[in-house]
Amino acid sequence: MTLAVCCNATAQSSEDYTLYDFGDIEWLDVDGYASPGLFGNFNKVSANGQYAVGYDDQLLGCAFLWNREYVDTVEIVNNDYNRLIHLCDISNDGVGVGSYQASSGDPLYPAYRTSDGVWTTLPVPEGFSETAGAGMGIDHARAITPDGNYIAGHVYVTVGETESPLGGIMEVRQLVPCLWTKSGDSYELTGAYTDLGAAGQSYLWNNEEGAFEAVADSVEDETFFVYDISNDGRTIVGVNTAETGGQNPAFIRDGKLMQLFDCANEETYTFNGGICNSIDANGNIYGYFVDDYMENTYFVYTSDGKLEYVDNFFVCGTADGERITQSIDGLPYVLDCSEDGTVIVGAGVGDTGFGMANTPALVIRDDIGTGVDRLDAIAKSVNVECNGGTLVVTGEYSRADIYTAQGALIATGGQGKAFNISGQPAGAYIVKVTTANGVKTFKIAR
């Protein structure tokens, strides 16, 4: 059932942007009762900035859609708290993707929604678990390309059975990343990566070499959670779960698993981890990693194959080079941006009556400068950070050289190299970083 909401959002303007917070919108549930607030967040905005979608995973499970043509309203896509319907992403022509449950008690399937509001379930791989999704609400189509030609997501498949600690038999399930490709007026399942991480199909980033190298053995206990897909459909970004339980920022490219960090590695062994959050129109991948000491490492894996450490968590990027941080212009939680940077979506904060929760909110900006200005700013933002025995250079550079205070060269490397200086004595060190704008010199203490 679809219900169009005609109430105005709370709008707040400044010289550079207008913030729309939809938390105060009143809407009617399936029983006709008024809900005095809308909770959740906008997950994604279409590349052209025309649509944004999201759902409430905190209270009533409401799903909603925003159309820039009606800038201060949202459409309630699901007002029935008895069933699950999610909206995770949307194409430039209004095709939304997520998951769909026809009625309470039915299986939850990955699905897409046409611009006229019709839902269609997507084909699923053999062994699809009809019992897992409805209980967990996780069998999603998570991302769609701007042209609508490719959809990426993940579903649970049954890979065996085991005895339950509570008695009886229970399914053993694996969360499998999937790729669907448009074929005529529907979609075909063209990729179900059940053997993701197999020997010869798995690669790990080598910090010393600044490149990926093949993993000789299979990666065990893989569970890949999809976050985004590249415009050409070749690259699916997200999280791969390590054997330790930690989460490895990773992506799938042409069917191969590419892990940027490794929670199972002795040097980075951790129960924490991070994500590859998004991939922009140019192919740059944004994410973060958290180690055992709760130190955050923010990175951009660039389209030309370099791992660039940065000093802030960039959630998304525009087509002409701007990087958007996790909080901007009055929007406390940023989740996505349009390719021109004029629409930035995410969440505000509202009071549920039982505590604070997220509310869907977005910013429409008119402070966009030139792409050249923003690229120059990024190139000039080089810095050096030292956490324990690991030294990283953030920003865009071509070479970094580390010297003792007496002038002895102890390490050198290019973009994306993490320097291990744990074996060096405590004291002062000099770091010379070569950029497109010259050499910058930093003095750090270990």
Side-chain angles (χ1 to χ4, degrees):
M1 179 175 179
T2 300
L3 175 68
V5 174
C6 56
C7 302
N8 290 340
T10 300
Q12 174 185 334
S13 296
S14 78
E15 182 179 346
D16 298 327
Y17 66 88
T18 302
L19 169 67
Y20 294 91
D21 192 321
F22 297 89
D24 293 333
I25 282 184
E26 184 175 279
W27 54 280
L28 299 179
D29 65 29
V30 69
D31 294 322
Y33 293 105
S35 178
L38 188 62
F39 299 99
N41 48 260
F42 287 114
N43 298 306
K44 291 286 186 178
V45 59
S46 59
N48 60 2
Q50 184 64 39
Y51 306 99
V53 293
Y55 61 92
D56 173 13
D57 59 356
Q58 303 167 77
L59 296 172
L60 297 178
C62 175
F64 41 84
L65 181 149
W66 173 83
N67 187 335
R68 192 169 182 172
E69 187 175 348
Y70 312 102
V71 66
D72 57 356
T73 69
V74 291
E75 177 185 348
I76 302 299
V77 174
N78 176 39
N79 66 338
D80 186 351
Y81 47 79
N82 294 306
R83 64 175 181 166
L84 297 173
I85 295 178
H86 307 96
L87 273 173
C88 299
D89 198 3
I90 192 163
S91 69
N92 283 342
D93 59 357
V95 176
V97 297
S99 52
Y100 180 78
Q101 186 180 31
S103 60
S104 177
D106 287 343
L108 182 74
Y109 276 81
Y112 65 96
R113 178 186 184 270
T114 57
S115 58
D116 57 1
V118 177
W119 281 93
T120 303
T121 58
L122 290 160
V124 291
E126 184 179 355
F128 173 73
S129 174
E130 292 189 343
T131 60
M136 302 178 184
I138 204 170
D139 282 322
H140 293 333
R142 290 274 300 178
I144 186 170
T145 56
D147 58 12
N149 286 336
Y150 300 95
I151 297 173
H154 45 243
V155 301
Y156 275 106
V157 298
T158 302
V159 294
E161 293 182 338
T162 188
E163 292 186 8
S164 170
L166 302 177
I169 301 297
M170 60 185 292
E171 287 184 342
V172 178
R173 304 172 182 135
Q174 178 185 358
L175 188 63
V176 174
C178 296
L179 178 69
W180 294 272
T181 303
K182 192 170 186 181
S183 177
D185 295 329
S186 61
Y187 288 87
E188 296 179 351
L189 179 64
T190 53
Y193 303 108
T194 55
D195 61 347
L196 195 66
Q201 298 294 312
S202 180
Y203 293 79
L204 180 65
W205 181 261
N206 184 319
N207 270 320
E208 294 297 321
E209 299 297 329
F212 279 103
E213 59 182 20
V215 178
D217 300 320
S218 297
V219 175
E220 296 183 3
D221 299 329
E222 71 278 356
T223 298
F224 195 97
F225 193 97
V226 173
Y227 272 76
D228 203 1
I229 187 171
S230 61
N231 285 6
D232 61 6
R234 285 187 55 206
T235 305
I236 300 170
V237 306
V239 172
N240 189 63
T241 305
E243 187 176 2
T244 64
Q247 296 181 321
N248 297 324
F251 58 91
I252 302 168
R253 179 163 292 168
D254 298 332
K256 295 180 174 60
L257 177 64
M258 319 290 287
Q259 295 189 122
L260 289 166
F261 294 84
D262 184 10
C263 293
N265 185 280
E266 289 184 0
E267 295 182 2
T268 56
Y269 184 95
T270 179
F271 291 104
N272 298 310
I275 62 174
C276 285
N277 181 73
S278 65
I279 182 168
D280 66 21
N282 299 312
N284 302 302
I285 298 172
Y286 304 89
Y288 69 87
F289 183 80
V290 184
D291 64 21
D292 279 337
Y293 303 99
M294 301 305 292
E295 295 285 350
N296 294 329
T297 298
Y298 305 115
F299 63 84
V300 180
Y301 181 72
T302 62
S303 58
D304 58 353
K306 298 176 181 177
L307 186 60
E308 177 184 338
Y309 297 103
V310 291
D311 55 8
N312 206 334
F313 177 33
F314 293 107
V315 174
C316 57
T318 67
D320 61 357
E322 183 185 17
R323 296 170 177 175
I324 308 295
T325 60
Q326 58 190 322
S327 179
I328 190 171
D329 289 346
L331 190 63
Y333 303 107
V334 173
L335 292 177
D336 195 27
C337 56
S338 60
E339 287 189 355
D340 64 1
T342 60
V343 181
I344 303 172
V345 305
V349 180
D351 191 347
T352 67
F354 303 97
M356 306 306 289
N358 289 343
T359 58
L362 58 85
V363 163
I364 297 181
R365 299 172 61 189
D366 50 19
D367 65 333
I368 303 298
T370 67
V372 173
D373 293 338
R374 291 195 293 277
L375 288 170
D376 284 347
I378 293 169
K380 294 175 182 176
S381 64
V382 171
N383 201 1
V384 176
E385 297 177 0
C386 187
N387 297 321
T390 302
L391 184 148
V392 297
V393 181
T394 64
E396 186 177 314
Y397 65 100
S398 58
R399 178 188 174 93
D401 298 294
I402 306 173
Y403 299 85
T404 65
Q406 292 73 37
L409 178 66
I410 60 171
T412 187
Q415 182 82 62
K417 178 181 174 63
F419 298 94
N420 184 357
I421 59 172
S422 59
Q424 298 295 327
Y429 292 86
I430 306 299
V431 183
K432 294 186 177 182
V433 183
T434 303
T435 75
N437 300 305
V439 177
K440 293 190 175 185
T441 301
F442 301 85
K443 184 176 182 179
I444 59 134
R446 151 137 169 74

